[in-house]
């Protein structure tokens, strides 16, 4: 039997996206300084795993600190100190109402399941649940603050004394160790795996640090201490010998034996695939490899080298953080992805750009996109235009659509933007809710040209040409004395574009120009060269017809 030595090394090798996400997570948890990064593998000294549960849970607590209810709970303390320092001289009704709202949140969070599961682990004489329950603040009556200011302040002061006790409790070292981690177990960690160890329903009470240690760390150490020469089976991931096939993949979300899953990208695990305890511990790091914003997770499987895998996912984490400085929105995971890919490409030459697999976690399942080189180049060429689509959107069938994620989604699915452009113009033309300017629609048309150029080698029209066509469309409609007639021509052109009927489009156009006694611009002859030119020119023209004036064109935006 081999004794474990402090300087023993464990190797983890890149494999499929699932292992790669786990390895990336392991590096995130331990920190790059604590592992040796090779081209296709990492080496971790065994000593790093001695108290692995501490760094493990701490990683999630720190990484998602900003979104945590625990942070929100402690946030009022600063406000409280301010009021006390100020001796309540600026205390207003607004402050009172805010305090009341805060108390509602405090009680709601403080009595939620994750909090209640932690309290028994804290060796304190404070009955925190009882304390939270006892906290009450009467509603402020009309003019009460103005008429009985002293009484009201006295009431708040009394309440602050209770809050003080609450903060003392929540700032205990043991509460700080357990609570933020417990919160992340149910908001992040369980997105990667479930129904095992501390995540098992029956095991939800008790010390999850200990449970994690017992279940994952100790069994790995025991495995390493045992003799394996006579083992008949092998781990299906790392091929280390194993005695029994008792560790299955079923605890990993969406990768187990779930026979109901039919999506093609899913893993086809057979019933006779088993893993070793080392790999099992590794797989618990999957949620640390993904970047989550609320219910959306993202992992980029850039497995070119291990360093590139770590760098691209680090970029996404940093960009999510940066983009969410003011506000956290799930659509920003897309923006973070795009920014990161653009940063990456700026550092590579055009020749080096490689296909990249993107894995998204949404609605409790994984979605896979392969971003081929031509899409990556489209994104790169559109780097100035894409950010201009932030905050743009429209409402269709009472559902909100945000342009930025929908454009990225279309591109990632290798789909042109004509359908989306059509939808916006249609809603705009029929007086629906659209928060998208003509200028933004033009940006979409340009991005779409970048896409078509890469996909089918379409010769794109220059931005000035596109702009000229839009302008012509705008003034074309102005020619109509009867605005409604102009609108109806716009809608008919839009329909001809939708059904891809070039002849109908040209008929409407020629008739209208004749009616207005004007000459048809020469670029419309290009409509017949191919579908892409037809639609690009057509949508530019209709954007002008339907859209508002650009500043230089004068007129009223609200016309
Ligand atoms: Zn293994």
């Amino acid at each position: 039997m081999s004794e474990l030595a402090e300087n023993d090394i464990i190797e983890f090798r890149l494999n499929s996206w699932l292992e790669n996400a786990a390895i990336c997570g392991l590096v995130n948890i331990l920190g790059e300084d604590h592992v040796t990064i090779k081209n296709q593998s990492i080496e971790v000294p065994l000593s790093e795993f001695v108290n692995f549960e501490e760094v493990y849970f701490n990683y999630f607590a720190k990484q998602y600190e900003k979104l945590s209810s625990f942070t929100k709970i402690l946030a009022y303390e600063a406000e409280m100190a301010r009021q006390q320092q100020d001796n309540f001289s600026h205390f207003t009704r607004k402050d009172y109402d805010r305090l009341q709202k805060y108390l509602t949140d405090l009680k709601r969070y403080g009595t939620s399941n994750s909090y209640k599961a932690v309290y028994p682990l804290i060796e304190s004489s404070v009955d925190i649940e009882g304390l939270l329950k006892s906290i009450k603040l009467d509603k402020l009556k009309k003019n009460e603050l103005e008429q009985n200011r002293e009484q009201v302040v006295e009431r708040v002061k009394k309440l602050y004394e209770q809050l003080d006790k609450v903060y003392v409790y929540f700032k205990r070292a043991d509460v700080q160790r357990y609570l933020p981690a417990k919160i992340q177990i149910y908001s992040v960690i369980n997105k990667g795996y479930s129904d095992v160890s501390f995540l098992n329903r029956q095991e939800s009470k008790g010390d999850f640090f200990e449970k994690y240690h017992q279940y994952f760390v100790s069994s790995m150490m025991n495995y390493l201490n045992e003799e394996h020469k006579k083992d008949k089976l092998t781990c299906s991931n790392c091929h280390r010998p194993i005695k029994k096939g008792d560790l299955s993949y079923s605890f990993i979300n969406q990768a187990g034996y779930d026979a109901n899953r039919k999506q093609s990208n899913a893993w086809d695990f057979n019933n006779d695939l088993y893993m070793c305890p080392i790999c099992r511990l590794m797989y618990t790091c999957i949620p640390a490899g993904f970047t989550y914003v609320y219910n959306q997770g993202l992992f980029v499987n850039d497995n070119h080298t291990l360093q590139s895998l770590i760098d691209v996912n680090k970029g996404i984490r940093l960009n999510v953080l940066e983009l969410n400085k003011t506000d956290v929105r799930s659509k920003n995971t897309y923006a973070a992805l795009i920014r990161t890919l653009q940063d990456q490409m700026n550092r590579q030459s055009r020749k080096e750009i490689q296909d990249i697999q993107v894995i998204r976690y949404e609605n409790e399942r994984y979605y896979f996109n392969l971003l081929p080189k031509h899409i990556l180049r489209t994104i790169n060429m559109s780097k100035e235009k894409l950010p201009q689509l932030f905050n743009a959107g429209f409402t269709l069938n009472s559902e909100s659509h945000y342009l930025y994620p929908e454009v990225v989604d279309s591109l990632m699915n290798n789909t042109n933007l004509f359908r989306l452009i059509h939808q916006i113009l249609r809603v705009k033309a029929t007086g629906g809710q659209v928060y998208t300017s003509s200028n933004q629609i033009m940006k979409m048309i340009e991005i779409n040209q970048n896409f078509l150029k890469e996909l089918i080698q379409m010769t794109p029209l220059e931005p000035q040409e596109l702009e000229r066509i839009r302008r012509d469309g705008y003034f074309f409609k102005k020619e109509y004395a009867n605005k409604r007639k102009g609108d109806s021509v716009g809608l008919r052109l839009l329909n001809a574009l939708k059904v891809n009927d070039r002849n109908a489009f040209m008929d409407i156009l020629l008739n209208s120009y004749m009616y207005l006694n004007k000459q048809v611009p020469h670029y419309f002859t290009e409509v017949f060269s191919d579908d892409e030119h037809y639609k690009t020119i057509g949508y530019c023209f209709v954007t002008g017809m339907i859209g508002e004036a650009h500043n230089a064109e004068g007129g009223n935006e609200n016309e």
Side-chain angles (χ1 to χ4, degrees):
M1 184 154 136
S2 59
E3 264 308 302
L4 286 178
E6 279 282 298
N7 53 359
D8 275 356
I9 295 282
I10 305 180
E11 187 197 47
F12 299 90
R13 293 197 70 79
L14 290 182
N15 193 352
S16 78
W17 69 272
L18 199 62
E19 290 75 28
N20 299 357
I23 291 172
C24 199
L26 182 59
V27 175
N28 288 341
I29 290 165
L30 291 172
E32 280 184 56
D33 305 346
H34 294 253
V35 302
T36 307
I37 295 169
K38 300 274 180 90
N39 191 285
Q40 293 292 310
S41 66
I42 56 165
E43 291 179 353
V44 186
L46 192 57
S47 55
E48 293 291 340
F49 290 105
V50 174
N51 286 315
F52 185 69
E53 64 279 6
E54 296 294 336
V55 279
Y56 182 83
F57 287 116
N58 189 46
Y59 171 81
F60 294 102
K62 277 271 159 299
Q63 189 64 36
Y64 295 97
E65 191 176 20
K66 214 187 131 190
L67 296 175
S68 172
S69 62
F70 192 58
T71 307
K72 287 176 197 150
I73 279 191
L74 293 177
Y76 189 78
E77 202 191 7
E79 161 84 16
M80 186 166 108
R82 216 171 14 248
Q83 297 292 358
Q84 284 168 327
Q85 229 164 37
D86 215 20
N87 208 16
F88 294 87
S89 52
H90 296 100
F91 193 82
T92 61
R93 170 174 272 274
K94 235 185 184 167
D95 294 320
Y96 194 98
D97 292 344
R98 196 165 54 231
L99 173 59
Q100 248 185 340
K101 192 185 167 298
Y102 167 75
L103 294 179
T104 315
D105 289 345
L106 172 66
K107 288 177 158 197
R108 181 164 52 90
Y109 289 132
T111 53
S112 65
N113 287 338
S114 19
Y115 285 66
K116 283 205 315 223
V118 165
Y119 299 148
L121 304 173
I122 309 303
E123 282 178 39
S124 159
S125 55
V126 176
D127 167 21
I128 183 71
E129 276 191 82
L131 178 59
L132 288 171
K133 247 182 226 141
S134 75
I135 292 180
K136 279 193 182 82
L137 186 64
D138 290 337
K139 244 187 142 183
L140 206 54
K141 291 189 198 89
K142 206 181 169 206
N143 294 329
E144 198 183 0
L145 189 63
E146 290 75 12
Q147 285 158 4
N148 282 318
R149 187 173 180 87
E150 242 168 80
Q151 269 182 22
V152 174
V153 166
E154 231 14 73
R155 206 192 294 159
V156 175
K157 275 186 183 166
K158 279 238 164 65
L159 183 95
Y160 276 10
E161 280 168 29
Q162 281 180 296
L163 283 184
D164 253 330
K165 288 183 206 154
V166 172
Y167 296 140
V168 167
Y169 179 89
F170 280 134
K171 284 161 82 181
R172 290 171 55 110
D174 48 1
V175 176
Q176 299 263 341
R177 176 172 173 252
Y178 284 112
L179 199 47
K182 185 74 180 182
I183 292 165
Q184 296 315 324
I185 287 176
Y186 294 116
S187 58
V188 172
I189 296 175
N190 69 349
K191 291 191 168 75
Y193 62 102
S194 49
D195 292 335
V196 71
S197 178
F198 61 93
L199 280 165
N200 191 306
R201 236 171 257 272
Q202 270 92 46
E203 302 269 334
S204 66
K205 295 213 168 64
D207 190 331
F208 49 92
F209 282 84
E210 272 171 31
K211 284 175 204 282
Y212 184 93
H213 185 87
Q214 278 302 320
Y215 203 83
F216 297 108
V217 183
S218 292
S219 54
M220 175 175 117
M221 297 299 183
N222 292 341
Y223 170 84
L224 288 165
N225 262 320
E226 285 158 10
E227 183 62 69
H228 292 284
K229 276 192 187 128
K230 287 180 188 151
D231 289 359
K232 296 266 171 11
L233 301 168
T234 55
C235 168
S236 56
N237 177 46
C238 68
H239 307 298
R240 289 182 178 95
I242 44 175
K243 207 174 288 168
K244 292 184 289 187
D246 54 354
L247 308 185
S248 79
Y249 281 77
S250 59
F251 76 106
I252 302 170
N253 291 355
Q254 293 272 321
Y257 300 116
D258 188 351
N260 296 324
R261 280 177 312 110
K262 289 197 179 72
Q263 83 244 50
S264 57
N265 270 305
W267 276 68
D268 230 1
F269 285 115
N270 295 319
N271 281 336
D272 53 358
L273 289 184
Y274 299 105
M275 66 176 82
C276 70
I278 299 171
C279 290
R280 185 170 62 168
L281 182 137
M282 176 193 85
Y283 285 121
T284 67
C285 302
I286 291 170
F290 274 77
T291 300
Y292 296 98
V293 180
Y294 292 129
N295 287 322
Q296 221 181 53
L298 193 66
F299 172 70
V300 177
N301 189 22
D302 181 354
N303 55 3
H304 185 207
T305 65
L306 218 142
Q307 193 65 54
S308 65
L309 183 77
I310 290 166
D311 288 347
V312 72
N313 287 290
K314 196 200 294 173
I316 287 172
R317 272 205 318 285
L318 293 175
N319 277 322
V320 162
L321 225 59
E322 172 73 26
L323 287 164
N324 292 335
K325 252 186 196 156
T326 46
D327 191 8
V328 181
R329 292 206 190 120
S330 55
K331 65 177 173 176
N332 284 346
T333 53
Y334 272 120
L337 170 68
I338 298 307
R339 272 205 198 181
T340 308
L341 294 177
Q342 284 164 349
D343 291 348
Q344 289 266 88
M345 282 182 282
N346 287 343
R347 279 186 257 116
Q348 293 165 338
S349 69
R350 195 182 155 94
K351 260 203 305 205
E352 278 173 354
I353 294 176
Q354 306 210 356
D355 299 356
I356 289 180
Q357 188 186 25
V358 175
I359 294 106
R360 289 180 298 132
Y361 181 88
E362 252 178 86
N363 309 321
E364 295 177 16
R365 53 169 284 199
Y366 290 108
Y367 296 83
F368 301 82
N369 287 97
L370 187 73
L371 291 188
K373 284 176 230 173
H374 71 269
I375 301 293
L376 291 169
R377 282 200 292 265
T378 302
I379 289 171
N380 200 28
M381 279 187 292
S382 311
K383 63 178 154 218
E384 269 96 41
K385 296 175 189 84
L386 272 169
Q388 297 188 43
L389 303 183
F390 275 144
N391 304 322
F394 61 102
T395 306
L396 185 63
N397 303 328
S398 59
E399 211 180 291
S400 296
H401 292 259
Y402 299 100
L403 229 49
Y404 187 93
E406 295 219 3
V407 166
V408 174
D409 212 24
S410 296
L411 295 177
M412 278 170 53
N413 287 309
N414 214 356
T415 311
N416 68 50
L417 304 179
F418 285 132
R419 191 190 55 88
L420 198 56
I421 292 165
H422 183 91
Q423 275 182 340
I424 298 171
L425 285 171
R426 168 123 208 125
V427 177
K428 210 167 169 132
T430 50
Q433 282 185 301
V434 180
Y435 321 99
T436 308
S437 66
S438 304
N439 191 38
Q440 284 168 318
I441 299 174
M442 294 303 287
K443 293 299 163 216
M444 285 174 74
I445 293 174
E446 287 180 44
I447 294 167
N448 193 49
Q449 276 208 125
N450 289 340
F451 170 79
L452 295 170
K453 187 172 101 185
E454 287 293 329
L455 190 72
I456 53 161
Q457 276 80 47
M458 171 201 184
T459 316
L461 290 134
E462 292 297 321
Q464 309 87 275
E465 289 179 78
L466 298 177
E467 177 53 23
R468 191 191 147 193
I469 299 169
R470 186 204 62 77
R471 228 177 112 86
D472 284 352
Y474 176 76
F475 286 111
F476 173 73
K477 195 183 131 184
K478 287 252 139 178
E479 294 283 332
Y480 281 96
N482 181 346
K483 187 177 172 290
R484 282 177 61 195
K485 182 144 174 72
D487 286 341
S488 113
V489 173
L491 272 173
R492 278 161 62 212
L493 288 174
L494 206 51
N495 283 338
L497 284 162
K498 189 186 184 185
V499 295
N500 210 7
D501 188 341
R502 294 185 218 178
N503 292 322
F505 183 88
M506 286 312 286
D507 272 350
I508 300 165
L509 202 73
L510 291 173
N511 281 329
S512 304
Y513 269 100
M514 245 158 56
Y515 170 80
L516 295 171
N517 200 16
K518 289 240 162 196
Q519 197 154 20
V520 181
H522 65 89
Y523 48 76
F524 279 114
T525 52
E526 274 193 62
V527 158
F528 292 100
S529 62
D530 54 57
D531 279 354
E532 287 71 28
H533 278 98
Y534 159 53
K535 290 195 165 179
T536 301
I537 292 168
Y539 279 121
C540 277
F541 192 78
V542 177
T543 301
M545 282 189 74
I546 288 170
E548 68 283 351
H550 280 200
N551 288 337
E553 287 152 8
N556 189 335
E557 291 267 320
N558 302 321
E559 269 178 328

